[in-house]
Amino acid sequence: MADVQLTKLKKSFGNVDVIHGVDLTIEAGEFAVFVGPSGCGKSTLLRLVAGLEEASGGTVSIGGEDVTDVEPADRGVAMVFQSYALYPHMTVAENMGFGLKMTGSDPKFVRERVQRAAEILHLEQLLERKPKQLSGGQRQRVAIGRAIVREPKVFLFDEPLSNLDAELRVRMRLEIAKLHNDLGATMIYVTHDQVEAMTLADKIVVLRAGRIEQAGAPLDLYADPDNLFVAGFIGSPKMNFLAGTVSESANGESVIALTEFDGATAKVPVSGTLKPGTEVLLGIRPEHFTSQGTAAIETRIEVIEDLGGVSYGYSGADTDNPLTIALEEGHGIKPGQSFKARFDPARAMLFDPQSERRIR
Ligand SMILES: Nc1ncnc2c1ncn2[C@@H]1O[C@H](COP(=O)(O)OP(=O)(O)O)[C@@H](O)[C@H]1O
Ligand SMILES: [Mg+2]
């Protein structure tokens, strides 16, 4: 178990800058998740920690030691890939023990470590099989087992569940969470799936275009995003953003006139005073619409999704920016019906449409 410290870490491929100077501390024993859209640099950042990519600038430290120029095998990390990367001609036991065997460890010692990892992952019955005789979930478990056998200081996972079907993905997600609890090891996990990030992480690191947008505990990012990108990325369904203009503002409270909803206003708490006429975006999460809300917008619900337990109504379903509203149980609303969507303005957030920063 070791902490990981990235300082002004940069990576360029040729003249393309992919990671733009990342500063980040991951505490010893922490489960950190790098999340962000495809191409934002998650894998590159993880590979920089692993030593599979050479940094173009800055440093990587593991357990207080600068490992920027240390070979991958000597960094005390083990990586689990989406593709499993198992040797087809080796048995499960041989695959799991291979890394350790290559370091010249005593065969008996390797067998014991493999046995222990197999017990943790319920692979005891499969040790003599070849990878092609395993299901996708079992193969991924072997890949994780291979990492456990090496008892690394830091586990690195790159989208390890992406090749599994939805049900198995949920089960393996729970297994990985349990593994982290049992081993107490430092883990860095890459995913583009915000639900995986929310459920697994102690700390989520939201990346966009090679920069950290925000890092923090899952529920802190949900409740208190710094900007439009994080607000829209964390939470499902996505937060709604409504165009508005400040119509009145006193210290501590601003009245926002919602441009697309004729005459609708919301009195939103803010720390400063906003100049009347300032354009803002008002963010409101689908699940924060409630019949008890004091603010209301008049809309027409065009599509309803009844998922059982929870229902969502959509208006402007054919636009770029449909409005999503969680409907209360027994809502009785029919598609095409007009609807007064109420919300508590204290739960709404304001953003600057130009800088995309949160206005607090
Ligand atoms: N070996 C490479 N050579 C050139 N460009 C690369 C290389 N690896 C990654 N990239 C580029 O770096 C960016 C980030 O890639 P990556 O880290 O794989 O993103 P993610 O894992 O978030 O989807 C992408 O634009 C990708 O095309
Ligand atoms: Mg990737």
Side-chain angles (χ1 to χ4, degrees), residues 2-9 22-28 34 45 48-49 58-68 75 154 186 188 203:
D3 68 332
V4 176
Q5 193 128 16
L6 311 182
T7 311
K8 299 191 169 50
L9 191 61
V22 162
D23 289 301
L24 179 69
T25 300
I26 295 160
E27 309 293 342
F34 296 168
L45 199 55
L48 284 164
V49 176
T59 59
V60 178
S61 299
I62 297 177
E65 186 196 345
D66 185 340
V67 297
T68 318
R75 291 193 182 195
V154 182
T186 312
I188 309 179
K203 178 189 278 163

Side-chain angles (χ1 to χ4, degrees), residues 47 49 53 74 79 84 93 108 126 135 142 150 154 183 188 202 205 222 224 229 232 237 269 289 298 305 339 346 349:
R47 292 167 62 82
V49 176
E53 299 289 357
D74 301 326
M79 188 138 161
Y84 319 136
K108 182 162 165 281
L126 306 176
S135 70
V142 175
R150 300 187 40 206
V154 182
L183 301 178
I188 309 179
D202 298 315
V205 180
Y222 174 87
D224 199 15
F229 183 78
F289 284 98
E298 195 77 53
E305 287 177 354
F339 179 65
M349 299 176 190

Side-chain angles (χ1 to χ4, degrees), residues 13 18 37-44:
F13 292 106
V18 170
S38 179
C40 70
K42 305 179 294 293
S43 295
T44 303

Side-chain angles (χ1 to χ4, degrees), residues 6 12 38 60 68 78 97 106 125 143 153 164 170 173 184 199-200 221 241 249 256 269 276 305 309 314 334 338 348:
L6 311 182
S12 313
S38 179
V60 178
T68 318
D106 171 56
Q125 308 304 318
K153 290 188 244 173
L164 305 177
V170 172
R173 193 170 84 204
T199 51
L200 284 171
L221 295 196
F241 298 110
S249 191
I256 312 300
E305 287 177 354
Y314 297 88
K334 298 275 178 295
S338 46

Side-chain angles (χ1 to χ4, degrees), residues 11-14 16-19 35-47 53 158-159 190-192 207 210:
K11 179 68 192 174
S12 313
F13 292 106
V16 182
D17 299 337
V18 170
I19 302 291
V35 69
S38 179
C40 70
K42 305 179 294 293
S43 295
T44 303
L45 199 55
L46 197 72
R47 292 167 62 82
E53 299 289 357
D158 194 353
E159 311 234 14
V190 162
T191 178
H192 61 273
L207 290 165

